[in-house]
């Protein structure tokens, strides 16, 4: 890993402190977010009173012990689960007020999601896995445009020579990179990443992270990334720690 003062992200920090950025209205505004599920007939509180905001193009990490509620928060931000209390706004949209169909449309147009397991479609080539995401998000594009942009996204993650490979004919790190190309091909305003390098060896993980940060920076995409890697967390603009369902900002503190 590069020292943080040489990383591309340090440029992001400089940009973030410009007057223009600091007055920009938040991309995410989450207030008093609670998440309670029922297990064997009893309520189990997973998130309690989470407040969180993120500026456009900001890159933040969420760290914290296993079982503390990190993935649950990401699921709520992605609209894949519903908050039991509070309000989550992304851009101009109050996602806690959207029905499922509207949420699906919003998600496809606004979000990129990278989970630890890649969820690629096994019967489709790398090109078609990425192309499908773009086709759904941008029905206005022609098939030729979709294929061109999908190929460019795969080229950007170093897979220009693997377009026709199905997931089973790709290594784990290559599949992870297809997942990244798929998340970023739509140029989303927000990328939600849950331990994006969790399955990868250190070197491949570092490559995937560089790609993610660089592509996001080019597109002005904000990132919320869950990680267990303190070095990776240090390279982001801000760090938050989740503990027993409560989120606090811990930028600059040792974890
Ligand atoms: N749908 C659900 N029903 C019941 N319990 C759940 C549900 N989803 C999550 N939990 C519980 O909520 C807690 C938080 O889970 P979550 O997946 O958010 O943790 P995490 O911080 O992402 O942990 P890890 O670092 O291990 O991935 C865990 O104790 C988990 O068992
Ligand atoms: Mg998790």
């Amino acid at each position: 890993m590069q020292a943080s003062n040489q990383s591309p992200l340090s440029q992001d920090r400089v940009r973030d402190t410009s007057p223009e950025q600091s007055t920009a209205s938040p991309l995410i505004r989450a207030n008093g977010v609670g998440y309670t599920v029922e297990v064997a007939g009893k309520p189990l509180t997973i998130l309690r009173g989470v407040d969180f905001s993120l500026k456009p193009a900001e890159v933040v990490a969420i760290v914290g012990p296993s079982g503390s509620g990190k993935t649950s928060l990401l699921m709520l931000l992605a609209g894949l689960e519903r908050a039991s209390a509070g309000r989550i706004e992304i851009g101009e949209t109050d996602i806690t007020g959207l029905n499922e169909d509207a949420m699906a449309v919003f998600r496809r147009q606004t979000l990129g999601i990278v989970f630890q397991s890649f969820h690629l479609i096994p019967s489709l080539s790398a090109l078609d896995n990425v192309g499908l995401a773009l086709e759904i998000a941008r029905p206005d594009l022609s098939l030729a445009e979709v294929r061109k942009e999908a190929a460019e996204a795969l080229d950007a993650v170093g897979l220009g020579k693997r377009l026709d490979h199905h997931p089973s004919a790709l290594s784990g790190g290559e599949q992870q990179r297809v997942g990244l190309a798929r998340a970023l091909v739509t140029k989303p305003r927000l990328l939600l990443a849950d331990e994006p390098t969790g399955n990868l060896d250190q070197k491949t993980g570092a490559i995937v992270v560089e790609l993610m940060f660089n592509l996001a920076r080019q597109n002005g995409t904000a990132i919320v990334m869950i990680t267990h890697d303190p070095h990776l967390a240090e390279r982001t603009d801000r760090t938050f720690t989740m503990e027993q369902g409560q989120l606090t900002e811990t930028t600059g503190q040792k974890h």
Side-chain angles (χ1 to χ4, degrees):
M1 284 263 172
Q2 300 262 303
S4 62
N5 63 356
Q6 294 169 351
S7 81
L9 275 184
S10 57
Q11 293 165 21
D12 280 356
R13 281 200 201 97
V14 171
R15 191 191 55 199
D16 275 346
T17 53
S18 74
E20 199 186 326
Q21 272 289 320
S22 58
T23 56
S25 58
L27 176 62
I28 300 180
R29 238 185 304 225
N31 290 108
V33 174
Y35 183 47
T36 300
V37 296
E38 205 167 286
V39 180
K42 288 193 194 142
L44 171 71
T45 297
I46 296 174
L47 297 176
R48 40 193 109 218
V50 170
D51 296 318
F52 174 65
S53 78
L54 185 78
K55 286 181 275 182
E58 199 177 13
V59 177
V60 302
I62 299 178
V63 300
S66 176
S68 58
K70 304 179 299 296
T71 296
S72 302
L73 178 60
L74 223 63
M75 298 291 275
L76 298 184
L77 293 175
L80 293 166
E81 297 289 349
R82 287 209 171 262
S84 324
R87 191 181 164 94
I88 301 172
E89 287 169 76
I90 299 182
E92 305 302 309
T93 307
D94 175 2
I95 65 163
T96 38
L98 294 182
N99 66 27
E100 247 168 63
D101 288 349
M103 187 63 227
V105 171
F106 178 79
R107 191 184 305 121
R108 286 173 196 147
Q109 291 175 346
T110 313
L111 304 182
I113 302 176
V114 180
F115 288 131
Q116 203 175 350
S117 49
F118 325 117
H119 301 302
L120 299 178
I121 299 173
S123 58
L124 296 182
S125 67
L127 185 70
D128 289 341
N129 263 286
V130 176
L132 183 63
L134 183 58
E135 203 177 331
I136 292 170
R138 296 281 311 275
D140 55 306
L141 295 181
S142 71
L143 189 58
E145 286 168 321
V146 165
R147 291 178 73 84
K148 180 170 170 284
E149 291 196 24
E152 281 171 6
L154 283 162
D155 199 39
V157 298
L159 292 177
K161 293 199 163 74
R162 294 284 184 274
L163 302 184
D164 297 324
H165 284 231
H166 284 60
S168 61
L170 293 168
S171 76
E174 288 172 341
Q175 290 179 48
Q176 184 71 296
R177 283 185 275 158
V178 176
L180 188 60
R182 180 184 54 184
L184 289 171
V185 72
T186 56
K187 300 189 171 58
R189 290 169 74 190
L190 176 61
L191 180 71
L192 300 172
D194 193 351
E195 299 186 44
T197 61
N199 285 325
L200 306 177
D201 67 80
Q202 219 176 357
K203 192 171 161 216
T204 313
I207 292 169
V208 167
V209 164
E210 288 311 320
L211 287 168
M212 184 170 80
F213 286 170
N214 286 336
L215 290 175
R217 190 162 43 98
Q218 280 165 21
N219 297 334
T221 297
I223 303 178
V224 178
M225 176 180 59
I226 296 173
T227 180
H228 284 287
D229 179 351
H231 300 294
L232 184 50
E234 273 171 23
R235 299 188 50 220
T236 62
D237 295 321
R238 292 190 292 153
T239 302
F240 294 82
T241 299
M242 183 72 84
E243 242 161 324
Q244 297 185 2
Q246 291 185 306
L247 190 72
T248 43
E249 185 173 345
T250 52
T251 309
Q253 295 177 17
K254 289 280 169 230
H255 297 285

